[in-house]
């Protein structure tokens, strides 16, 4: 017999208050991904996304359509990934950040600011290292 009261002390949020995860159609998930249930709203994953191995998707995240997230990406809670964005391998996205549509986050980046649509982040701790991408 397992004493559930012991586990509730360790968990900050009561399991019965979680909002859940909403996953769309034709998504590809590779091995060992972690998707956290929403706390205020549902964690949303749209259609035609590719989430490769060992990714951490934070609570209340919104991943829209045709987003590619490469292996070992860590995304904070309440973050948003707009249509057709690409997140490079081992990137870390801080909570409450928005990755714009058709933008790319380079591998091993730490994103602490919003990434505008059609931009490419090429440095760690991006400050002014965003280049507009005009290739459509």
């Amino acid at each position: 017999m397992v004493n559930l009261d012991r586990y509730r002390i360790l968990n900050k949020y009561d399991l019965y208050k979680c909002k859940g995860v909403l996953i769309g159609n034709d998504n590809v998930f590779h091995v060992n991904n972690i998707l956290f249930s929403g706390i205020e709203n549902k964690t949303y994953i749209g259609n035609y996304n590719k989430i490769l191995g060992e990714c951490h998707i934070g609570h209340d995240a919104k991943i829209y359509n045709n987003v590619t997230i490469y292996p070992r990406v860590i995304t904070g809670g309440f973050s948003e990934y707009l249509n057709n964005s690409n997140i490079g391998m081992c990137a870390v996205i801080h909570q409450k950040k928005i990755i714009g549509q058709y933008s790319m986050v380079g591998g091993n980046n730490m994103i602490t600011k919003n990434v505008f649509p059609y931009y490419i982040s090429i440095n760690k701790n991006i400050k002014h290292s965003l280049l507009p991408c005009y290739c459509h």
Side-chain angles (χ1 to χ4, degrees):
M1 187 84 175
V2 176
N3 185 0
L4 294 178
D5 292 332
R6 186 179 117 187
Y7 293 105
R8 284 201 188 121
I9 293 170
L10 299 175
N11 193 353
K12 183 176 178 184
Y13 301 102
D14 190 1
L15 295 175
Y16 301 107
K17 294 180 183 177
C18 291
K19 303 294 183 186
V21 177
L22 179 62
I23 299 176
N25 299 320
D26 298 319
N27 292 298
V28 176
F29 293 93
H30 284 229
V31 298
N32 297 332
N33 289 312
I34 300 172
L35 282 75
F36 281 92
S37 176
I39 295 170
E40 292 181 7
N41 297 309
K42 289 186 178 186
T43 299
Y44 172 76
I45 298 178
N47 303 317
Y48 308 106
N49 298 303
K50 295 177 194 75
I51 301 176
L52 303 180
E54 301 179 20
C55 293
H56 170 280
I57 307 298
H59 61 85
D60 295 282
K62 291 183 177 67
I63 300 174
Y64 293 98
N65 301 321
N66 296 314
V67 175
T68 302
I69 299 178
Y70 288 94
R72 297 186 179 172
V73 170
I74 300 173
T75 65
F78 299 102
S79 53
E80 294 188 33
Y81 305 88
L82 302 183
N83 294 335
N84 301 300
S85 57
N86 287 291
I87 314 298
M89 187 174 188
C90 299
V92 178
I93 315 293
H94 197 267
Q95 64 185 5
K96 299 181 182 177
K97 299 301 167 238
I98 298 173
I99 307 299
Q101 61 189 10
Y102 293 97
S103 61
M104 297 178 73
V105 174
N108 208 26
N109 270 347
M110 180 188 309
I111 303 298
T112 57
K113 297 180 181 178
N114 293 337
V115 176
F116 295 107
Y118 301 100
Y119 271 52
I120 302 171
S121 69
I122 56 174
N123 271 348
K124 278 187 167 184
N125 301 322
I126 56 172
K127 295 177 183 170
H128 302 291
S129 62
L130 294 173
L131 300 174
C133 176
Y134 296 109
C135 44
H136 299 283

